[in-house]
Amino acid sequence: MAMSTKDRFEKYVNGQYQCKKKLGSGGFGEVWSCIDLLAASKSQSKVPEDFIYAMKIEHLQDSEQPGGKDDPPKKVPVPSSQSQLLYEEKMYKVLQDGIGIPQVHWFGEHKERNVLVMDNLGASLEELFRKC
């Protein structure tokens, strides 16, 4: 389920990250650029790029509880034991300080979805393939 414009601007994720632009999506969820408004407000730097990060938002999954015959499947949060983002966050912690490894700035839940905020290292693989 895609994040609506209303959801994007209704509240800040973790009280500080504002989604700006959708960068891509896939089987696990969506990737957005976001700005850390809290850090930007405390910093002397006036360069907005200093506070732009990538935010991964995991999709809700279909409920295992059967619904009505004509009802669409109910969407439920991904359990921690099945979360791809939780696993990804753990791997970044293991690999932290390695060359080319993004720093994780926040991992948590927002509106029943798992969210990972990390450094944006540049173009996605999809963007690079389009350039070839």
Side-chain angles (χ1 to χ4, degrees), residues 37-61:
L37 297 172
L38 185 61
S41 70
K42 291 180 178 181
S43 175
Q44 299 296 326
S45 174
K46 300 297 181 200
V47 182
E49 290 79 28
D50 291 347
F51 310 104
I52 302 285
Y53 301 111
M55 177 185 293
K56 291 187 170 188
I57 304 170
E58 199 164 42
H59 286 314
L60 296 173
Q61 67 180 14

Side-chain angles (χ1 to χ4, degrees), residues 4 8 20 29 34 37 45-46 51 57 60 83 96 105 110-112 131:
S4 71
R8 278 189 12 227
K20 299 305 264 181
C34 68
L37 297 172
S45 174
K46 300 297 181 200
F51 310 104
I57 304 170
L60 296 173
S83 173
Q96 71 184 1
H105 296 276
H110 179 74
K111 294 191 176 189
E112 298 187 328
K131 290 180 180 180

Side-chain angles (χ1 to χ4, degrees), residues 42-95:
K42 291 180 178 181
S43 175
Q44 299 296 326
S45 174
K46 300 297 181 200
V47 182
E49 290 79 28
D50 291 347
F51 310 104
I52 302 285
Y53 301 111
M55 177 185 293
K56 291 187 170 188
I57 304 170
E58 199 164 42
H59 286 314
L60 296 173
Q61 67 180 14
D62 291 339
S63 172
E64 293 180 5
Q65 307 243 339
K69 181 178 168 183
D70 296 327
D71 294 335
K74 183 180 177 191
K75 298 291 187 177
V76 297
V78 176
S80 294
S81 62
Q82 298 174 12
S83 173
Q84 292 180 27
L85 282 185
L86 176 61
Y87 179 74
E88 185 174 341
E89 188 255 351
K90 287 179 179 181
M91 289 297 98
Y92 288 140
K93 281 185 177 180
V94 169
L95 300 170

